[in-house]
Amino acid sequence: MNIGIDKIGFAAPSYVLDLADLALARQIDPNKFKVGLLQSEMAVAPITQDIVTLGAQAAAAILTDEDKAAIDMVIVGTESSIDQSKAAAVFLHQLLDIQPFARSIEIKEACYGATAGLSLAKSHIAQFPHSKVLIIASDIAKYGIASGGEPTQGAGAVAMLVTADPSIMILNNDNVCQTRDIMDFWRPNYDKYPRVDGKFSTEQYTDCLTTTFDYYVEKTGKSLADFAAMCLHIPFSKQGLKGLQAICHQDEETLNRLTERFHEAIVYNKVVGNIYTGSIFLSLLSLLENSQSLKTGDAILFYSYGSGAVCEIFSGTLVEGYRNQLLTDRLDQLNARKRLDVTEYEAIFFEEIKLDEAGNAIDLPLDDTPFALQNIEQHKRIYRKN
Ligand code: CAA
């Protein structure tokens, strides 16, 4: 049975900051971000837009009533949870009107969580071929004002529907993982922002890739020449490019071809920024919607990396008619986001919800996006569908 991605949707928050403006405000050469990191803009979420509202918006854009009646598992991958106990998937299950007899869970392992969700979904569909599984990768990447990671922030959600006989991409059975206990990026429960050993994290990203790829080649007998494109986790676009170059140094023709596809695969990531666990799937969406070279039957290689660290290399094969599931105006939608200056960005992205003594915040600003946090009542988050 072929199992894979049947639909894929994306949502970004309403605001965007130009990294050239950020560079000027921080007295940094703008080319450090534009050329050095290969990033040009980053998405900015206000307090009324969180991993639940972004996830709901991404999923609502792709689901039909028929899908909602067939989905019996909702998986959210995130490292920016809104609750230490209740899964964001439970809020999403309700907001999206999914039939009640479903399992709803949250998976955490830094930027790798949603990839683990994809494997879980595949196993579930293998057991129950008529089911559908909704995976939502939703995160808000925030490092703090004037921090080292500030230009690599972002926010957004990718939703994927996993089914038998998918309409976009079959997931192949060639997954290879690696786990190594390292402290490159982590967020203790008492910290608002992650702690990050920036340079170490970039080295570990690449070393996990090269060593896992060697094992992948040994296990599967495949080589990079077998793939039409590669999608990698994109904390910032230059990191992905360096990763590709690190495993493709001997064959110039393959490197040139995969580099061309890589630039198509970062069109959205460059203007959204890091969305942690959704970044690799945003890159897939960018590749599919911006490449004219891909065709049915092409194989795509994936490298998912979550700090801490767990990584996975796997592949997928495009199916006939996959273009019918895509949008042609997504970049226009992203360009329509409200542009912030640096003072507005600092006020909006770092605003904190103030609770009264009883745990209420009833005066949140009105937000007319499709899903928004309306208020907090006795420590309970209340969402609104607009
Ligand atoms: N013009 C052009 N390029 C310039 C430049 C200029 N004026 N000034 C600097 N650069 C280049 C540098 O040469 C460098 O490029 P190379 O790496 O190719 O040499 C690049 O810009 C970045 O410069 P620095 O390394 O000096 O930048 P930095 O010290 O400020 O830190 C960072 C960069 C470590 C990525 C930091 O932004 C950070 O800590 N980010 C968060 C952590 C992160 O994203 N890690 C990635 C791997 S971990 C992961 O993938 C999980 C995850 O999502 C977090």
Side-chain angles (χ1 to χ4, degrees):
M1 184 188 359
N2 289 329
I3 302 170
I5 300 173
D6 189 57
K7 294 180 179 179
I8 179 164
F10 171 65
S14 325
Y15 301 110
V16 62
L17 176 71
D18 193 322
L19 291 184
D21 294 339
L22 182 67
L24 286 178
R26 303 289 179 252
Q27 296 175 314
I28 290 171
D29 178 352
N31 275 335
K32 176 172 176 185
F33 300 161
K34 198 172 170 204
V35 181
L37 299 179
L38 214 50
Q39 287 297 128
S40 52
E41 294 173 356
M42 70 187 187
V44 173
I47 47 171
T48 46
Q49 293 170 27
D50 64 14
I51 58 158
V52 170
T53 69
L54 292 167
Q57 202 178 323
I62 56 168
L63 298 183
T64 61
D65 288 346
E66 198 189 318
D67 294 330
K68 292 175 189 181
I71 291 170
D72 63 359
M73 178 138 73
V74 182
I75 303 172
V76 171
T78 189
E79 57 179 299
S80 17
S81 285
I82 49 157
D83 195 287
Q84 286 284 22
S85 174
K86 180 169 173 169
V90 178
F91 290 96
L92 281 155
H93 172 273
Q94 188 272 332
L95 282 171
L96 294 165
D97 294 322
I98 287 163
Q99 64 84 22
F101 301 101
R103 178 187 288 143
S104 300
I105 55 165
E106 188 171 306
I107 295 185
K108 177 182 70 181
E109 174 22 51
C111 305
Y112 169 72
T115 303
L118 206 53
S119 275
L120 178 57
K122 202 168 82 172
S123 304
H124 181 77
I125 302 295
Q127 217 181 342
F128 305 102
H130 298 293
S131 297
K132 298 186 180 192
V133 178
L134 176 64
I135 299 175
I136 295 175
S138 190
D139 268 308
I140 296 183
K142 223 184 257 190
Y143 292 85
I145 294 173
S147 61
E150 189 178 31
T152 65
Q153 300 175 127
V158 174
M160 293 176 287
L161 191 64
V162 176
T163 66
D165 298 322
S167 302
I168 297 180
M169 193 179 76
I170 296 164
L171 292 166
N172 301 324
N173 297 314
D174 57 356
N175 308 46
V176 172
C177 299
Q178 181 175 173
T179 296
R180 53 169 78 163
D181 185 3
I182 50 167
M183 299 302 277
D184 59 331
F185 172 108
W186 69 107
R187 182 159 72 85
N189 285 344
Y190 45 79
D191 277 341
K192 250 192 291 183
Y193 306 124
R195 290 167 186 262
V196 54
D197 188 340
K199 189 157 168 38
F200 181 56
S201 73
T202 60
E203 290 163 359
Q204 288 299 317
Y205 174 106
T206 305
D207 196 61
C208 280
L209 169 57
T210 52
T211 50
T212 309
F213 183 67
D214 285 348
Y215 188 43
Y216 177 85
V217 170
E218 188 187 317
K219 251 185 103 175
T220 64
K222 296 180 188 175
S223 78
L224 273 181
D226 296 320
F227 296 97
M230 182 169 185
C231 291
L232 303 98
H233 168 53
I234 304 289
F236 53 94
S237 299
K238 188 71 165 288
Q239 182 70 56
L241 183 59
K242 283 186 172 181
L244 176 62
Q245 290 164 346
I247 56 168
C248 190
H249 37 79
Q250 285 140 345
D251 174 354
E252 202 177 325
E253 188 277 323
T254 303
L255 177 61
N256 290 344
R257 182 171 53 77
L258 294 181
T259 303
E260 276 178 36
R261 296 295 79 70
F262 176 83
H263 285 285
E264 294 158 355
I266 55 167
V267 173
Y268 301 154
N269 302 72
K270 280 169 82 169
V271 297
V272 169
N274 196 357
I275 58 165
Y276 290 157
T277 189
S279 286
I280 184 172
F281 303 109
L282 180 60
S283 180
L284 169 65
L285 191 62
S286 179
L287 173 73
L288 298 180
E289 292 186 343
N290 292 290
S291 178
Q292 299 310 315
S293 314
L294 289 179
K295 57 183 188 322
T296 301
D298 277 350
I300 299 172
L301 187 66
F302 293 85
Y303 170 60
S304 176
Y305 176 81
S307 288
V310 180
C311 70
E312 182 165 338
I313 294 184
F314 60 101
S315 75
T317 303
L318 294 176
V319 301
E320 176 99 48
Y322 75 92
R323 285 184 197 275
N324 301 335
Q325 305 303 320
L326 305 171
L327 295 186
T328 51
D329 66 345
R330 202 178 301 275
L331 205 53
D332 298 335
Q333 292 178 17
L334 287 166
N335 287 335
R337 291 172 294 174
K338 181 175 170 7
R339 297 192 165 267
L340 301 177
D341 63 31
V342 173
T343 309
E344 289 170 322
Y345 141 74
E346 289 179 355
I348 290 174
F349 209 31
F350 297 97
E351 184 179 6
E352 286 180 23
I353 296 176
K354 291 184 191 66
L355 296 177
D356 67 17
E357 277 183 8
N360 299 310
I362 51 167
D363 54 355
L364 298 191
L366 198 64
D367 183 328
D368 63 0
T369 47
F371 298 88
L373 180 65
Q374 182 171 311
N375 53 40
I376 298 180
E377 292 172 15
Q378 296 181 325
H379 300 282
K380 298 169 194 153
R381 293 172 89 84
I382 314 288
Y383 291 97
R384 186 182 51 233
K385 236 188 274 192
N386 288 315

